[in-house]
């Protein structure tokens, strides 16, 4: 049956591609992005319906029903776009391949050097990351406590309805991404790493979107450039914080893909014709992307000011009020439909019913939101500090500082910034009341290794180009609006929540705006690296690109969370290769003190047992499902709801001594106290009780 389901998956992908070819313009980027939007949107809607019917874990129903949903969506979009131009996708791909070959052959020496090392670096990383996706287990903290744990619970129950899990993220996070992960998991024969597919696909979709956005910006400037598009797309593919999520089950990279689709549709609308004849299909697709983004994660709300600024440039600016009104009504209608279909059903309304807030319980809000700052005056003061803290965090050679020599160089490079902070008495590391973890000028290895920022490309190119545009030295209207959008999101992240050294992953959306400035190196006459005799400028750009490539390679090959090869970190801690490491060991890398008790649990409890869980909010639960994900786990200590009775069907009880008092006959699994000092949150004292 597994082969049949895999064939059904490929058939669905082919079918969605056929539908997209009947909706989009004759553009390879349009076709790829519309296919993704239509495919993801269909799976999400199908998941909501199947959850209501208690069919979340029924593979044959999934295999058939996604075709029905895609057909309905495709017909509606075709009805909205009656003037469709028919084209052959295979011929289009062949044409674009020839165009790329001609473009590369026509490049002068310096651009050819840049693109050779960029393409070469991405090729090595692409192969490595694909192997890591297919052959290494997920092990991110949030996934072990919440994201993947709830997927298993939804499939056990046959529905994604609210049930009350141990970790507050299980019930409060929007459920749209769960549908995509469950679909991939079931259609690949319950292949665990299928949970990663939507995240890895999102990486490539965002890259394609960046390529397309620069194409559309080039059209608006009257200077279409394949070099600008490829350069931005390749550099974004190597941006450390974006690159690191390509092999994980973290949620921000999927939101980045949706955001990139939304921006692409808006810029495509702006470049699709005269003010009177612009193509409204892009507004309808933008509304669809908007609804999916908001339904994916509430942090999209922090992007709304930035998105609105881009809408001003691409949609609202027009020769007359009548045209602006017509465009606004179409976009607003599309967004309203998108929100109704892809946002409201994903769980926000249930959160309001259960917790009185669309985000979650008061405890979580006080821990991770503006409420922690207290007064508005303190929020402004501490949020302003966060702006500077995150700016300082971006000024790092991420990837390169994974080794001792790189860390030494990085420390020396940042000394002027440390001296400046001391002279200005900004108290970045002394004020801690609006911080989850205190700010430090030299962050711990565990904070920056798997959660970097923008690295050399950010320091050397993105921020300097941003400053040149905002100060008026370089004039580019679209980049002026993009710069405002970038600053608004940077500020939103700084003021909306306490400082968190793990927050590099949140800035991948900010980086999406920032990477678009690199197009100016080919689109703007004052900055172009294609102009002869600019030896110093070309040397500088070349140096930054080389450092960016080295940074990307070191991020991938020295990522302790998923090492392709065994390695000893600068702090002396050895890490095994993710390809050969023990499953439980790999999953508990972030909390090494719990490896031994979890390993012993795995050895003592049968693969098909039913286990009651008396664990706490921070405990890893996902590894307990076993190597074939066949154990049934029943949480009996739901977040802030009190301890429930042990269910009669349970064969074993796994619990922390802080939740349930041990009794005679319980097996003490314990925790490794010798490793508690290197664990961000030490594990509990664990016990196992056999009930039958």
């Amino acid at each position: 049956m597994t082969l049949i389901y895999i064939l059904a998956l490929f058939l669905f992908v082919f079918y969605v591609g056929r539908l997209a070819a009947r909706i989009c313009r004759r553009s390879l980027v349009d076709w790829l992005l519309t296919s993704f939007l239509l495919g993801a949107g269909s799976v999400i809607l199908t998941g909501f319906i199947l959850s209501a019917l208690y069919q979340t874990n029924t593979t044959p129903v999934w295999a058939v029903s996604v075709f029905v949903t895609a057909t309905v969506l495709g017909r509606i979009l075709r009805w909205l776009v009656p003037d469709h131009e028919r084209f052959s996708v295979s011929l289009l791909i062949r044409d674009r391949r020839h165009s790329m070959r001609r473009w590369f052959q026509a490049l002068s020496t310096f651009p050819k050097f840049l693109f050779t090392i960029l393409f070469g670096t991405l090729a090595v990383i692409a192969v490595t990351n694909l192997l890591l996706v297919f052959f290494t287990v997920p092990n991110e903290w949030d996934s072990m406590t919440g994201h993947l744990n709830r997927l298993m619970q939804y499939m056990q129950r046959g529905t994604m309805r609210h049930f009350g899990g141990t970790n507050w993220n299980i019930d409060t996070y929007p459920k749209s991404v769960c549908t995509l992960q469950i679909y991939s998991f079931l259609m690949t024969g319950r292949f665990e790493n299928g949970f990663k597919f939507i995240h890895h696909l999102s990486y490539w979709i965002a890259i394609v979107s960046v390529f397309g956005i620069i194409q559309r910006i080039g059209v608006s400037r009257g200077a279409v450039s394949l070099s600008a598009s490829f350069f931005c797309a390749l550099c974004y593919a190597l941006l450390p914080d974006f690159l690191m999520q390509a092999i994980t089950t973290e949620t921000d990279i999927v939101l980045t893909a949706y955001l990139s689709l939304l921006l692409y549709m808006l810029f495509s609308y702006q470049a699709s014709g005269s003010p009177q004849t612009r193509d409204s299909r892009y507004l309808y697709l933008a509304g669809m992307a908007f609804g999916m983004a908001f339904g994916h994660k509430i942090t999209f709300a922090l992007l709304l000011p930035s998105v609105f600024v881009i809408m001003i440039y691409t949609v609202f600016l027009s020769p007359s009020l009548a045209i602006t009104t017509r465009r606004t009504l179409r976009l607003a209608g599309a967004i309203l439909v998108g929100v109704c279909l892809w946002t409201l059903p994903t769980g926000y309304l249930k959160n309001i019913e259960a917790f009185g807030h669309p985000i979650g319980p008061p405890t979580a809000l006080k821990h991770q939101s503006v409420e922690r700052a207290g007064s508005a005056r303190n929020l402004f003061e501490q949020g302003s500090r966060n702006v500077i803290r995150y700016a300082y965090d971006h000024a790092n050679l991420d990837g390169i500082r994974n080794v001792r020599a790189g860390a030494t160089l990085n420390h020396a490079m940042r000394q002027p910034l440390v001296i400046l902070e001391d002279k200005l008495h900004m108290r970045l590391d002394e004020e801690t009341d609006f911080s989850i973890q205190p700010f430090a000028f030299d962050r711990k290895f565990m904070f920056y290794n798997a959660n970097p920022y923008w690295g050399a490309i950010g320091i050397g190119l993105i921020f300097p180009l941003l400053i040149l545009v905002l100060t008026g030295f370089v004039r580019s209207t679209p980049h002026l609006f993009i710069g405002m959008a970038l600053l608004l999101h940077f500020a939103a992240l700084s003021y909306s929540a306490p400082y968190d050294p793990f927050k590099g992953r949140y800035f991948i959306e900010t980086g999406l705006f920032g990477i678009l400035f690199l197009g100016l190196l080919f689109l703007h006459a004052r900055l172009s690296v294609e102009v002869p005799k600019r030896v110093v400028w070309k040397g500088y750009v070349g140096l930054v690109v080389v450092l960016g490539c080295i940074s990307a390679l070191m991020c991938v090959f020295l990522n302790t969370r998923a090492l392709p090869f065994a390695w000893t970190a600068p702090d002396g801690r050895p890490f095994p290769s993710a390809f050969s490491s023990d499953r439980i060991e790999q999953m508990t890398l972030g909390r090494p003190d719990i490896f031994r008790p979890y390993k012993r649990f795995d050895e003592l409890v049968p693969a098909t047992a039913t286990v009651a869980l008396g664990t706490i909010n921070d405990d890893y639960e996902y590894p307990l499902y076993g190597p074939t994900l066949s154990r049934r786990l029943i949480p009996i200590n739901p977040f802030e709801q009190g301890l429930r009775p042990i269910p009669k069907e349970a064969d074993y009880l796994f619990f922390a001594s802080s939740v349930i008092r041990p009794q005679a006959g319980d097996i003490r699994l314990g925790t490794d106290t010798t490793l508690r000092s290197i664990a961000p949150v030490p594990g509990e004292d664990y016990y196992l009780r056999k009930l039958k």
Side-chain angles (χ1 to χ4, degrees):
M1 290 299 292
T2 298
L3 179 59
I4 294 175
Y5 292 140
I6 292 175
L7 290 174
L9 173 62
F10 281 109
L11 181 60
F12 176 67
V13 172
F14 175 78
Y15 181 67
V16 165
R18 289 288 300 273
L19 291 177
R22 299 176 184 177
I23 297 167
C24 66
R25 286 186 163 191
R26 190 181 184 277
S27 161
L28 185 57
V29 174
D30 263 33
W31 175 72
L32 288 170
L33 300 185
T34 304
S35 297
F36 176 82
L37 198 59
L38 185 58
S42 300
V43 171
I44 292 170
L45 287 180
T46 302
F48 292 156
I49 296 169
L50 295 186
S51 175
L53 299 174
Y54 287 86
Q55 297 296 313
T56 296
N57 198 30
T58 310
T59 310
V61 177
W62 271 103
V64 175
S65 55
V66 288
F67 286 90
V68 177
T69 312
T71 301
V72 173
L73 281 178
R75 286 188 178 276
I76 293 173
L77 289 171
R78 284 184 64 190
W79 174 71
L80 292 171
V81 188
D83 55 335
H84 171 65
E85 173 190 2
R86 291 185 175 272
F87 63 91
S88 166
V89 175
S90 59
L91 291 177
L92 180 61
I93 294 174
R94 188 183 311 166
D95 178 63
R96 295 299 182 264
R97 188 172 66 247
H98 293 327
S99 297
M100 181 178 173
R101 184 183 297 117
R102 290 194 299 269
W103 158 76
F104 189 79
Q105 291 173 347
L107 288 174
S108 56
T109 303
F110 181 70
K112 189 170 288 187
F113 160 75
L114 288 182
F115 287 111
T116 297
I117 61 172
L118 284 170
F119 275 117
T121 302
L122 181 58
V124 172
I125 287 174
V127 172
T128 304
N129 276 353
L130 194 61
L131 293 174
L132 290 169
V133 166
F134 273 93
F135 301 111
T136 66
V137 294
N139 61 2
E140 301 80 42
W141 185 294
D142 287 346
S143 297
M144 298 297 99
T145 59
H147 299 322
L148 295 186
N149 188 23
R150 67 176 179 156
L151 292 180
M152 298 306 303
Q153 289 290 332
Y154 292 155
M155 287 186 285
Q156 282 185 185
R157 298 163 189 274
T159 180
M160 297 190 297
R161 294 173 186 267
H162 182 101
F163 68 91
T166 307
N167 185 278
W168 71 271
N169 287 337
I170 290 175
D171 279 316
T172 59
Y173 261 60
K175 300 174 175 66
S176 64
V177 71
C178 297
T179 63
L180 296 161
Q181 291 178 287
I182 291 172
Y183 175 72
S184 301
F185 174 73
L186 294 177
M187 298 306 295
T188 53
R190 299 181 178 268
F191 177 49
E192 180 180 27
N193 287 354
F195 291 142
K196 299 180 182 181
F197 287 177
I198 182 59
H199 303 76
H200 193 63
L201 180 58
S202 294
Y203 170 77
W204 292 105
I205 288 298
I207 293 170
V208 173
S209 295
V210 168
F211 177 93
I213 291 169
I214 296 299
Q215 288 278 288
R216 300 303 179 253
I217 291 175
V219 168
S220 67
R221 291 176 54 88
V224 178
S225 170
L226 276 178
S227 296
S229 297
F230 274 119
F231 187 71
C232 287
L234 290 168
C235 286
Y236 192 51
L238 304 182
L239 214 62
D241 62 346
F242 177 59
L243 173 64
M244 293 295 282
Q245 284 200 38
I247 60 169
T248 71
T249 50
E250 296 281 13
T251 57
D252 296 284
I253 196 167
V254 183
L255 178 59
T256 302
Y258 294 149
L259 174 65
S260 70
L261 285 165
L262 174 57
L263 297 182
Y264 174 78
M265 297 305 169
L266 293 174
F267 279 106
S268 294
Y269 177 76
Q270 197 268 345
S272 62
S274 67
Q276 293 78 16
T277 61
R278 287 183 183 168
D279 196 334
S280 295
R281 84 182 77 193
Y282 292 113
L283 297 182
Y284 306 139
L285 294 172
M288 188 173 173
F290 186 99
M292 290 167 63
F294 222 152
H296 176 76
K297 196 174 183 182
I298 193 64
T299 51
F300 181 69
L302 302 179
L303 284 158
L304 292 180
S306 303
V307 169
F308 183 75
V309 166
I310 300 300
M311 287 179 176
I312 292 175
Y313 173 70
T314 57
V315 180
F316 303 147
L317 291 179
S318 76
S320 71
L321 179 61
I323 293 176
T324 298
T325 302
R326 187 165 61 249
R327 293 177 181 177
T328 303
L329 289 175
R330 286 179 177 171
L331 179 59
I335 289 175
L336 179 62
V337 172
V339 167
C340 289
L341 291 178
W342 287 282
T343 302
L344 296 182
T346 201
Y348 295 129
L349 298 180
K350 184 62 181 179
N351 284 346
I352 294 174
E353 178 186 333
F355 306 111
H357 197 284
I359 297 178
T363 303
L365 295 176
K366 292 177 182 178
H367 179 65
Q368 296 192 23
S369 72
V370 293
E371 294 186 17
R372 184 163 176 165
S375 66
R377 179 178 180 179
N378 192 56
L379 174 62
F380 177 78
E381 178 183 342
Q382 303 305 332
S384 300
R385 278 196 176 89
N386 283 350
V387 171
I388 304 172
R389 286 168 177 154
Y390 288 128
Y392 268 57
D393 281 345
H394 278 80
N396 280 293
L397 296 174
D398 287 311
I400 295 173
R401 60 176 171 156
N402 282 340
V403 296
R404 194 179 303 278
T408 302
L409 174 63
N410 189 79
H411 178 82
M413 179 196 75
R414 286 167 50 83
Q415 279 308 296
L417 296 176
V418 177
I419 294 172
L420 177 64
E421 191 275 344
D422 184 59
K423 295 295 184 183
L424 297 178
H425 304 290
M426 290 185 283
R427 297 174 57 86
L428 299 183
D429 54 346
E430 297 171 27
E431 294 281 347
T432 60
D433 67 326
F434 198 49
S435 301
I436 293 177
Q437 292 279 346
F439 171 81
F441 291 101
D442 286 320
R443 288 193 298 158
K444 292 182 179 179
F445 180 80
M446 72 172 71
F447 291 145
Y448 66 74
N449 177 257
N451 289 277
Y453 286 78
W454 297 349
I457 292 175
I459 306 170
L461 290 177
I462 294 177
F463 282 115
L465 292 173
L466 171 66
I467 293 171
L468 290 176
V469 169
L470 294 180
T471 56
F473 181 82
V474 172
R475 297 187 180 276
S476 173
T477 302
H479 286 91
L480 181 62
F481 281 90
I482 293 169
M484 289 188 288
L486 185 154
L487 294 180
L488 284 170
H489 190 236
F490 202 105
L493 290 173
S494 301
Y495 288 93
S496 64
Y499 170 79
D500 185 352
F502 282 117
K503 216 163 190 175
R505 66 185 190 274
Y506 292 163
F507 282 89
I508 61 175
E509 293 104 21
T510 325
L512 180 63
F513 295 111
I515 208 70
L516 301 178
F517 283 89
L518 271 58
L520 293 169
L521 297 178
F522 294 89
L523 294 173
H524 199 282
R526 299 184 73 173
L527 297 174
S528 177
V529 295
E530 295 182 306
V531 174
K533 298 183 180 180
R534 292 182 173 175
V535 178
V536 175
W537 178 234
K538 290 179 181 179
Y540 173 76
V541 172
L543 175 63
V544 173
V545 169
V546 169
L547 287 175
C549 291
I550 295 172
S551 170
L553 290 168
M554 294 179 75
C555 277
V556 171
F557 286 93
L558 301 181
N559 172 19
T560 57
R561 192 165 58 190
L563 281 170
F565 306 101
W567 179 59
T568 299
D571 59 4
R573 183 183 169 191
F575 290 89
S577 165
F579 293 118
S580 59
S581 135
D582 176 88
R583 171 187 169 81
I584 298 296
E585 182 182 17
Q586 188 65 22
M587 284 187 169
T588 57
L589 277 177
R591 305 184 70 176
D593 57 331
I594 69 172
F595 165 64
R596 289 183 180 177
Y598 273 58
K599 181 65 176 177
R600 196 172 178 206
F601 170 91
D602 215 36
E603 294 168 347
L604 293 173
V605 179
T608 57
T610 298
V611 183
L613 299 178
T615 46
I616 67 170
N617 178 71
D618 283 322
D619 277 330
Y620 280 16
E621 291 185 356
Y622 179 75
L624 303 176
Y625 288 97
T628 57
L629 303 179
S630 53
R631 293 192 188 106
R632 183 187 176 202
L633 305 184
I634 306 175
I636 62 172
N637 187 37
F639 185 70
E640 294 189 337
Q641 295 181 35
L643 188 63
R644 293 175 179 172
I646 300 172
K648 294 180 180 179
E649 62 267 34
D651 304 310
Y652 291 84
L653 171 66
F654 176 81
F655 63 96
S657 60
S658 61
V659 177
I660 298 174
R661 179 175 295 180
Q663 63 185 34
D666 291 343
I667 302 172
R668 186 182 184 188
L669 304 177
T671 189
D672 192 338
T673 56
T674 64
L675 296 175
R676 298 190 75 179
S677 61
I678 62 173
V681 178
E684 298 290 303
D685 189 9
Y686 299 109
Y687 285 80
L688 181 67
R689 180 183 301 171
K690 188 172 183 180
L691 302 173
K692 295 180 182 178

